[in-house]
Amino acid sequence: MTEWAREELHPDHAQSLRVERLHYDSETGHQRLRVFENPTFGRVLTLDGVVQTTEGDNFIYHEMMTHVPILAHGGARRVCIVGGGDGGMAREVLKHATVEHVTMVEIDAGVVEFSKRYLPTLSQGAFDDPRLELVIADGAEFMRGTKGGFDVIIVDSTDPLGPGEVLFTDTFYGHAKRALNDDGILVTQNGVPFLQGSELTNTMRAFRALFVDSTCYLATIPTYAGGPMAFGWGTDGDGRRTPTDVLKGRFDASGISTDYYNPAVHVASFALPGYVSRLIP
Ligand code: SAM
């Protein structure tokens, strides 16, 4: 009998992924953690029943949340990742030889240990990179107390449910702003606007009060169902106006090969359709 993993993140919409083989299913103390095999998406990680990442389409999400801010910044040396327990975000950040230090603040050690074992293609050795400092803590607590000094902060959290909820608050955003260096850039996983529009509006309202430049950019990740996903963007710098040819020079110099990100896609990702731009106050 075919088993399906049903995700019910939204009140009026659900998605199901076929479970060809269940690799792991357990409580971590923070969340229920499952990994199963799907013929199309490969290994799928869910937390509390919500798709977090898949082997098949994670490249879109992780490339766009890392190379956009880092290449727009042009001189990012110190990066902070909040969440990101599967290691995919760290994998992409650490591809930049110019990045000297990555602080990754993950609340659930179980996700890290588990991802190393069951999802090695996500982190691809990132956890062994000497530049990575792994901090097991609540990202909100960390941000409140950190001395900061980050050029880019990437919030790769779960949705605003359970432990992830505190990462969608004005207080957290204010502390993140304070932790940024001059011209630093904050990017956030901000859900699928078609189904989670109020989350984007709330974040953008907070960002408008905190940053000179606040907006979002888009990319479509098949298993984050409901259309394009929004990534919150906040900075006092002018990184968003970096010309395509300058981005190309930086991208070429990085020597990084990608399957989704490129400078033209980078620039185009900030072009917002009406139904999204109308969600930004
Ligand atoms: N790409 C996924 C998405 O868009 O939903 C997120 C993937 S990653 C697995 C999400 C991580 O955020 C999880 O490892 C979870 O444990 C972590 N997390 C949730 N709340 C957190 C908090 N308050 N502080 C730090 N990490 C948190």
Side-chain angles (χ1 to χ4, degrees):
M1 207 268 277
T2 303
E3 183 195 345
W4 292 85
R6 181 176 165 85
E7 176 193 86
E8 298 179 358
L9 175 61
H10 310 295
D12 308 321
H13 173 283
Q15 69 170 344
S16 295
L17 291 168
R18 190 156 68 86
V19 178
E20 183 176 62
R21 187 170 151 232
L22 182 63
H23 293 290
Y24 188 86
D25 185 355
S26 175
E27 289 287 342
T28 69
H30 287 278
Q31 307 160 104
R32 183 175 177 200
L33 203 158
R34 292 183 90 208
V35 173
F36 58 86
E37 198 78 28
N38 174 279
T40 298
F41 292 100
R43 292 194 174 197
V44 179
L45 166 66
T46 66
L47 289 177
D48 293 336
V50 178
V51 173
Q52 298 299 304
T53 193
T54 82
E55 285 182 319
D57 66 3
N58 81 86
F59 70 94
I60 303 170
Y61 174 80
H62 291 123
E63 289 181 15
M64 288 302 281
M65 279 202 83
T66 54
H67 306 317
V68 169
I70 290 173
L71 293 174
H73 183 284
R77 298 278 181 274
R78 294 180 59 82
V79 175
C80 179
I81 299 168
V82 177
D86 52 76
M89 205 62 77
R91 174 195 79 216
E92 289 302 314
V93 171
L94 290 163
K95 284 180 181 175
H96 290 270
T98 49
V99 169
E100 296 166 359
H101 190 271
V102 178
T103 302
M104 179 172 157
V105 188
E106 165 57 55
I107 196 168
D108 192 336
V111 178
V112 174
E113 288 318 309
F114 166 85
S115 298
K116 285 180 186 175
R117 180 172 176 194
Y118 289 96
L119 287 167
T121 61
L122 264 293
S123 53
Q124 293 179 15
F127 290 112
D128 300 322
D129 191 309
R131 294 173 290 166
L132 180 71
E133 176 193 0
L134 176 61
V135 176
I136 299 300
D138 179 333
E141 287 301 309
F142 172 86
M143 212 54 79
R144 186 152 57 90
T146 181
K147 65 182 187 323
F150 301 113
D151 299 305
V152 171
I153 297 175
I154 299 168
V155 184
D156 176 20
S157 72
T158 44
D159 291 282
L161 306 163
E165 198 162 359
V166 291
L167 303 180
F168 289 79
T169 62
D170 293 20
T171 304
F172 171 71
Y173 295 140
H175 292 151
K177 161 78 190 274
R178 197 190 54 195
L180 283 172
N181 290 330
D182 291 345
D183 296 339
I185 301 170
L186 171 63
V187 294
T188 55
Q189 181 277 97
N190 244 117
V192 171
F194 197 87
L195 296 171
Q196 298 165 288
S198 59
E199 286 174 36
L200 179 61
T201 299
N202 293 337
T203 299
M204 289 294 100
R205 185 176 292 117
F207 278 28
R208 193 174 68 168
L210 287 168
F211 296 106
V212 170
D213 180 23
S214 62
T215 186
C216 69
Y217 60 106
L218 304 176
T220 300
I221 299 100
T223 52
Y224 299 155
M229 171 175 259
F231 306 113
W233 169 277
T235 181
D236 287 343
D238 60 0
R240 181 155 64 103
R241 282 193 290 279
T242 305
T244 308
D245 62 334
V246 173
L247 290 172
K248 187 177 182 321
R250 293 173 182 169
F251 182 48
D252 293 347
S254 74
I256 295 170
S257 66
T258 52
D259 293 313
Y260 188 90
Y261 177 90
N262 65 56
V265 165
H266 174 140
V267 173
S269 69
F270 285 92
L272 303 180
Y275 86 92
V276 175
S277 56
R278 282 193 287 274
L279 289 168
I280 300 177

